Amino acid sequence: MPTVPTADEILDRSFRRAAKKMSEKNNKERANTEFVGAVGAAIHDRLVYIIRGFPEFDDLPPFYRELADILFGIDKIKQSLGAVGWAAKHTKMVGNQLVLQSRRVEDTQIVRKRAVARLASMVHQIDKDLHFLNEVRNVLRKLPNVEDAFTIVIAGYPNVGKSSFIRRVSSADPQVAAYPFTTKGIIVGHRQMGRERIQFVDTPGILDRPAEERNQIERQALSAMMNVANVVLFILDPSEHCGYPMDVQLRLLDEVKGMVQVPVLVVANKSDITTAEGYLTMSTQTGTGVDEVLAAILTHKPEYVEKKRERVVDIRSPVILEEEETGMDEDAFNPQGEKRPRVRKPRKPRTVQEKTLPE
């Protein structure tokens, strides 16, 4: 996605482009007319380029579409893109109208000044939209790449050890700290398992509260669980060092189970401090039990099926051409007008590398 320039940057570039064309004209009146048309066309082209740099949000996968909606609001993005489209249409239209006017007046410099003022005013009307779209661009281009692979989404309350777990089992390197909400967005890590690569998604912590009260960070976690997870690993902290009692953690677990249609594996972390009966246990601090949890996750992974490759003929291999049969060419006549058989000698097989001359 290209950088979205400000209104002043668009105008400055357009004026410089038009001034260059103007300097190439010897006739002053004609130069003013060319300047007006060039400015309108340059602004129009730049604004259209901005619009085309954004994706069709309705065609995005659900996960990315929801993230864009959570972070900025798709309707608001479309509204700003619509404002840019309005400006693109009208700057070109007004530029063409002023070109016609300049051809009918004696003093084209007056029309040129009027054109500069009107076009600049229209572009400045969308300056806020341009700033907003550039902010959208800066965030969306940094969204993690979620692959089409077996995906484990890690969920739970803040500070229960989600980021510590993903650091131990994948290539991701999230920030780990002793305070909640250190994860501000979606973090993706991978682990090579033989010929396959599995994917771990570290989500921000979710709180047990009504959906309308959840912030952007929590809504990103819910979107990941509902759109990309093959398995949800829900981590509990029975020591309650995370700052949340077990009863509220279990309420959130019940809510998550009701929201997703994939297996939910529950594990109690911080076994170096305390344990919880009835759950898998581990300690992401010491590494105890992490391998067992990973093995339990992999029981939900479908069998790896190696795709059979279709046999493809090597284009570098010689192609054997069949021998031509001896036969009668009915269209061949001798000088006396009588038909006679044309006997073709058998040819040796040739390869595609050999060059043949026409007979």
Side-chain angles (χ1 to χ4, degrees), residues 82-325:
V84 175
W86 168 87
K89 176 182 176 181
H90 284 78
T91 50
K92 187 174 183 179
M93 183 175 65
V94 170
N96 291 337
Q97 291 174 353
L98 292 171
V99 167
L100 293 176
Q101 290 181 19
S102 65
R103 292 173 180 173
R104 298 170 186 169
V105 299
E106 295 183 359
D107 191 354
T108 56
Q109 188 172 2
I110 296 176
V111 178
R112 191 188 77 181
K113 291 180 179 180
R114 187 186 306 164
V116 169
R118 288 189 62 182
L119 294 173
S121 175
M122 295 173 68
V123 176
H124 277 112
Q125 286 183 49
I126 61 166
D127 193 43
K128 289 184 179 180
D129 295 291
L130 295 172
H131 278 89
F132 171 69
L133 290 174
N134 194 52
E135 181 184 358
V136 172
R137 175 257 181 193
N138 290 337
V139 173
L140 294 187
R141 65 190 291 267
K142 295 179 181 178
L143 289 179
N145 179 30
V146 178
E147 300 178 359
D148 184 15
F150 181 71
T151 302
I152 302 96
V153 173
I154 305 168
Y157 260 82
N159 208 33
V160 296
K162 299 185 298 297
S163 297
S164 299
F165 177 79
I166 199 172
R167 276 186 88 172
R168 282 194 171 273
V169 299
S170 79
S171 60
D173 189 21
Q175 180 184 1
V176 177
Y179 53 86
F181 287 110
T182 49
T183 302
K184 304 299 183 183
I186 301 297
I187 298 172
V188 178
H190 299 92
R191 182 186 181 98
Q192 197 68 33
M193 305 289 294
R195 296 185 180 183
E196 283 187 286
R197 195 160 77 146
I198 62 176
Q199 184 169 238
F200 293 87
V201 178
D202 181 18
T203 62
I206 314 170
L207 299 181
D208 179 28
R209 54 187 176 186
E212 61 273 10
E213 296 181 10
R214 285 180 172 138
N215 57 32
Q216 288 185 349
I217 296 176
E218 295 171 280
R219 289 165 63 195
Q220 289 180 58
L222 294 173
S223 178
M225 286 191 296
M226 297 177 68
N227 290 302
V228 301
N230 295 111
V231 174
V232 173
L233 177 66
F234 194 95
I235 299 181
L236 297 169
D237 177 9
S239 73
E240 301 183 355
H241 277 58
C242 62
Y244 304 96
M246 273 291 283
D247 58 338
V248 299
Q249 294 183 55
L250 293 174
R251 281 205 305 266
L252 179 60
L253 171 61
D254 291 337
E255 182 183 357
V256 169
K257 286 181 176 179
M259 293 173 60
V260 300
Q261 303 295 322
V262 298
V264 178
L265 184 65
V266 185
V267 59
N269 190 24
K270 305 184 182 179
S271 62
D272 54 314
I273 301 175
T274 187
T275 58
E277 295 184 1
Y279 300 106
L280 278 171
T281 60
M282 69 175 180
S283 171
T284 54
Q285 180 69 28
T286 64
T288 304
V290 172
D291 290 339
E292 288 75 10
V293 172
L294 183 59
I297 292 172
L298 294 179
T299 61
H300 298 282
K301 187 178 74 66
E303 290 288 334
Y304 173 68
V305 178
E306 186 175 3
K307 295 181 180 179
K308 293 183 179 180
R309 296 183 179 180
E310 295 182 2
R311 183 176 178 275
V312 180
V313 178
D314 189 349
I315 62 172
R316 297 167 297 179
S317 301
V319 178
I320 304 301
L321 303 178
E322 296 181 357
E323 294 184 358
E324 296 181 354
E325 297 180 355

Side-chain angles (χ1 to χ4, degrees), residues 54-70:
F54 280 79
E56 290 288 343
F57 289 96
D58 293 338
D59 297 335
L60 288 178
F63 174 61
Y64 288 110
R65 187 168 60 247
E66 282 194 13
L67 279 189
D69 196 35
I70 290 169

